[in-house]
Amino acid sequence: MLTCRQATQLLSEKQDRSLLWRERSDLQLHLLVCRSCRRYGKQIRTLSQLSKAFRKIDS
């Protein structure tokens, strides 16, 4: 089982690259039981979407 530190690292890396099968499955298992990491994942997805939207407006 991943630690929260490992899970948040993978969530961040997921924004930049495709995770390996093992990384995805370990992350999914962790997210099933950890509310805080699920919340962190949602927050970084929201920030990423807002950043993309801002870049479109700024261009």
Side-chain angles (χ1 to χ4, degrees):
M1 179 86 139
L2 295 176
T3 64
C4 289
R5 181 174 292 213
Q6 293 167 322
T8 56
Q9 179 67 37
L10 285 176
L11 285 166
S12 294
E13 289 180 21
K14 188 177 174 185
Q15 298 294 312
D16 300 322
R17 68 173 178 92
S18 296
L19 299 180
L20 301 174
W21 180 86
R22 179 63 190 233
E23 292 172 322
R24 284 193 315 268
S25 61
D26 287 348
L27 181 58
Q28 286 299 97
L29 180 61
H30 182 86
L31 293 176
L32 281 172
V33 297
C34 185
R35 181 180 180 193
S36 297
C37 289
R38 285 193 307 269
R39 187 178 304 132
Y40 175 78
K42 185 176 179 179
Q43 289 170 349
I44 63 171
R45 280 190 307 274
T46 300
L47 286 172
S48 177
Q49 291 168 351
L50 289 171
S51 175
K52 287 176 187 175
F54 180 74
R55 276 187 254 136
K56 287 181 184 177
I57 294 171
D58 195 38
S59 296

